[in-house]
Amino acid sequence: MDHFHLKDGVLHCEGVPLPRIAAEIGTPVYVYSTATMVRHAGVMKAALAGLADPLIAYAVKANPNVAVLATLARQGLGADIVSGGEYARARAAGIAAEKIVFSGVGKTADEMARALEGGLYQFNLESLEEAEMLSQVAASMGLAAPVGFRVNPDVAAGTHAKITTGSAENKFGIPIGDAPAAYARIRRLPGMKVQGVAVHIGSQLTSLAPLEAAFARVGALIAELRAVGCAIEVADLGGGLGVPYNPALPEPPSPADYGAMVRRIAGDWGVRLVFEPGRLITGNAGVLLTRVIRVKPGATHPFLIVDAAMNDLMRPALYDAWHEIGAVEPKGPKMTTTVVGPVCESGDTFATAREMDEVAADDLVVFRTAGAYGAAMANSYNSRAVTPEVLVDGDRWAVVRKRIEVAELIAGDAIPDWLARPVTAP
Ligand code: LLP
């Protein structure tokens, strides 16, 4: 459920009519609903009720805006981070160090040192090589790094190949069969506090079965490790639960169903459980608000050319993702159209032959469920300004990231001195 609704025929985010934001800030612009984020944090907490002190570490990559993170920090959420940049954002937003877990296959020594210095709950190690580097870094600082291995359970997540992470051929984690030997090895390394185990098999999962299979394997591993005297106190079960994008498809399992499954499989492990939801928290809390530039005739259907493009919302181009598209002031009639942006690639297509509200040039349109992996992945391809972000809370709203204008992008480039002379034709 989200807080984008029609009031007097006009789409609002909570108490704010979207045309007001478009008029003041321009388009395209991302708009986020505080109430929706708060609701989803609450739904996740309720789903995990009954577990001993679970840590919900929001996956910062989904939407790293500091205002979003500050909203979630107030709900008691921690952070799952994958870079020094995300660590800095989480801390800048007020997320407590002891609620931060650090995932990712390519942590550098510098990133490790900064996280150790500022403090964190756990490093999720993704290779023995990484463990050895962290051991050196921590030992040189006179610290013990809290660690667990991320294991790769080799289960098919049943999601898009580009967001599958728990199959044997993926780069993530260590093969679960190698884990006992890897734990034996890191227990002998200096600068290590071996405390946990982690798993994350993919994103936008629409069935609980692969998660359950992965968790069962982690449970067996914990027992095996304990049998050889390795105390495991933390199990990080990752994120990945899908959200509804296409209203015509069955809804993904609910957080409550997920929580019940976790209690059944992991409730008696005797560990602190960590969860890393990203999309579940921010996905439905955001829309990308855009304006129709023009409608152009096409061979099969008219093209609806909007002022947002693949650089603003990459998901359709990258994953053939479906985003619901609707008019901000729907009049009733429908049309079938192919929705595209201005970027010079045929991949800059948001939807093909989509039945949607009838709109015309200058009308406002929204892409729904764009709060996760939307602005986070935006860029300036085709020298387009980087899309701003607005946060709504009831009747008030604020720009939480300003548009990065083309002049600022150009100012970041530099002409070297050998090119600075006036152009003389050969
Ligand atoms: N934990 C780890 C270690 C992850 O790699 C991810 C996502 C998450 C948690 C959060 O997953 P979520 O709950 O949001 O599904 N850009 C893609 C999604 C990439 C996900 C990468 N990892 C998309 O737009 O669908």
Side-chain angles (χ1 to χ4, degrees), residues 272-308:
R272 183 179 194 202
L273 291 173
V274 180
F275 300 89
E276 303 173 351
R279 193 188 316 262
L280 196 73
I281 305 291
T282 48
N284 287 338
V287 299
L288 174 58
L289 176 60
T290 180
R291 197 179 285 282
V292 178
I293 298 176
R294 66 179 62 88
V295 182
K296 172 182 167 174
T300 47
H301 301 283
F303 291 106
L304 188 73
I305 305 174
V306 295
D307 67 2

Side-chain angles (χ1 to χ4, degrees), residues 19 33 35 45 56 70 106 129 198 239 245 272 305 331 356 386 409 420:
S33 153
K45 282 191 237 174
I56 303 175
E129 293 76 7
Y245 282 97
R272 183 179 194 202
I305 305 174
K331 305 281 185 280
M356 59 169 281
V386 180
L409 296 172

Side-chain angles (χ1 to χ4, degrees), residues 59 61-62 80 82 103-104 126 150 162-163 165 172 200 202-205 238-242 245 276-280 315 318-319 372-373 377:
K61 64 174 80 68
D80 162 50
V82 292
S103 309
E126 305 233 12
R150 173 174 177 180
K162 285 185 184 156
I163 51 177
T165 55
F172 298 99
H200 172 80
S203 198
Q204 187 52 22
L205 271 62
L241 191 57
Y245 282 97
E276 303 173 351
R279 193 188 316 262
L280 196 73
R315 303 193 68 260
L318 269 183
Y319 320 113
Y373 309 110
M377 296 169 72

Side-chain angles (χ1 to χ4, degrees), residues 319-339:
Y319 320 113
D320 296 317
W322 170 290
H323 285 265
E324 185 67 0
I325 307 173
V328 168
E329 297 181 59
K331 305 281 185 280
K334 301 282 179 189
M335 65 180 189
T336 302
T337 182
T338 291
V339 184

Side-chain angles (χ1 to χ4, degrees), residues 222-277:
I222 293 174
E224 195 179 338
L225 291 171
R226 284 180 175 158
V228 294
C230 183
I232 298 292
E233 295 152 15
V234 178
D236 181 339
L237 299 182
L241 191 57
V243 302
Y245 282 97
N246 182 343
L249 294 181
E251 290 226 342
S254 69
D257 294 342
Y258 172 87
M261 181 273 283
V262 168
R263 270 189 295 277
R264 183 159 47 78
I265 302 293
D268 63 356
W269 286 356
V271 294
R272 183 179 194 202
L273 291 173
V274 180
F275 300 89
E276 303 173 351

Side-chain angles (χ1 to χ4, degrees), residues 4-13 16-22 27 29 31 287-292 325-331 356-360 362-368:
F4 295 89
H5 53 263
L6 287 172
K7 203 153 84 190
D8 302 327
V10 177
L11 190 64
H12 284 56
C13 176
V16 180
L18 292 180
R20 186 183 302 163
I21 295 174
T27 52
V29 55
V31 181
V287 299
L288 174 58
L289 176 60
T290 180
R291 197 179 285 282
V292 178
I325 307 173
V328 168
E329 297 181 59
K331 305 281 185 280
M356 59 169 281
D357 300 325
E358 188 173 274
V359 287
D362 282 336
D363 286 350
L364 290 169
V365 161
V366 285
F367 293 92
R368 297 276 196 144

